[in-house]
Amino acid sequence: MIKVNNSNSSKSIVAMSMFAAALALSACSSPLDPDVKARQDIMKSYGDAMGIMGDMVKAPDTFDAAVLQDQTSYLAEASQEPWIHFENQEAIGNSTEAVWTDNPSFVAESEKFQQVTAELNNVAQTATSVDDFAPAFKEVGASCKSCHTDFKVKTD
């Protein structure tokens, strides 16, 4: 007669259940659609760059022209990237339906963002202080906010 060690069997069942639950939770918390993930990654990188520049605006004595130029160059280049990831209407993510139902306005917002990031990059190339780039930086922030007002789902 084979005796089953119920203690080990119970532990195995509990462990497998916990693993399955963790796997299910991780699947729910991460976007499955590659377009949604790409957009989120790009927007996070935008936020990181804006944060670095925003820190300079908040503390002007930390101004670093090389860092500024690096961040603005990145933004100007990357400003062209996320829009191809909005072609699939099934890849909604945190976008509102207006991305697709009012696409001309969405396209106009994306073009405005590309324009203001290019202007910020141009200003940054000769900036010697925060005062030189702060107005263009604020325009980029306003462009982000404007697009998110109509085209991003509001979260608490």
Side-chain angles (χ1 to χ4, degrees):
M1 173 183 205
I2 300 175
K3 185 174 180 180
V4 176
N5 184 340
N6 288 334
S7 174
N8 284 340
S9 294
S10 296
K11 287 179 185 175
S12 295
I13 291 170
V14 169
M16 289 173 56
S17 296
M18 289 176 66
F19 176 74
L23 187 60
L25 284 174
S26 69
C28 291
S29 66
S30 63
L32 298 178
D33 188 279
D35 283 323
V36 172
K37 174 130 177 58
R39 292 190 314 243
Q40 290 176 345
D41 290 347
I42 293 166
M43 299 293 177
K44 167 126 178 35
S45 295
Y46 288 170
D48 292 345
M50 292 295 287
I52 291 168
M53 291 181 282
D55 289 345
M56 284 187 218
V57 171
K58 291 176 192 167
D61 59 317
T62 64
F63 175 78
D64 184 323
V67 170
L68 175 67
Q69 291 167 0
D70 184 50
Q71 298 306 309
T72 61
S73 175
Y74 162 75
L75 269 181
E77 195 172 303
S79 71
Q80 319 247 338
E81 294 178 10
W83 319 115
I84 62 168
H85 299 287
F86 284 97
E87 293 175 358
N88 178 1
Q89 293 184 24
E90 301 297 315
I92 295 174
N94 292 331
S95 303
T96 65
E97 289 290 328
V99 168
W100 297 278
T101 60
D102 188 10
N103 194 257
S105 294
F106 179 71
V107 169
E109 288 287 352
S110 72
E111 289 171 349
K112 174 72 173 171
F113 181 72
Q114 293 171 60
Q115 176 189 351
V116 296
T117 57
E119 289 170 5
L120 174 61
N121 187 42
N122 288 337
V123 167
Q125 300 313 308
T126 58
T128 58
S129 73
V130 168
D131 292 336
D132 294 337
F133 83 91
F137 174 75
K138 288 178 184 173
E139 287 296 318
V140 172
S143 177
C144 292
K145 183 178 179 181
S146 176
C147 192
H148 285 190
T149 297
D150 293 329
F151 301 107
K152 184 175 186 257
V153 172
K154 312 303 184 260
T155 57
D156 295 331

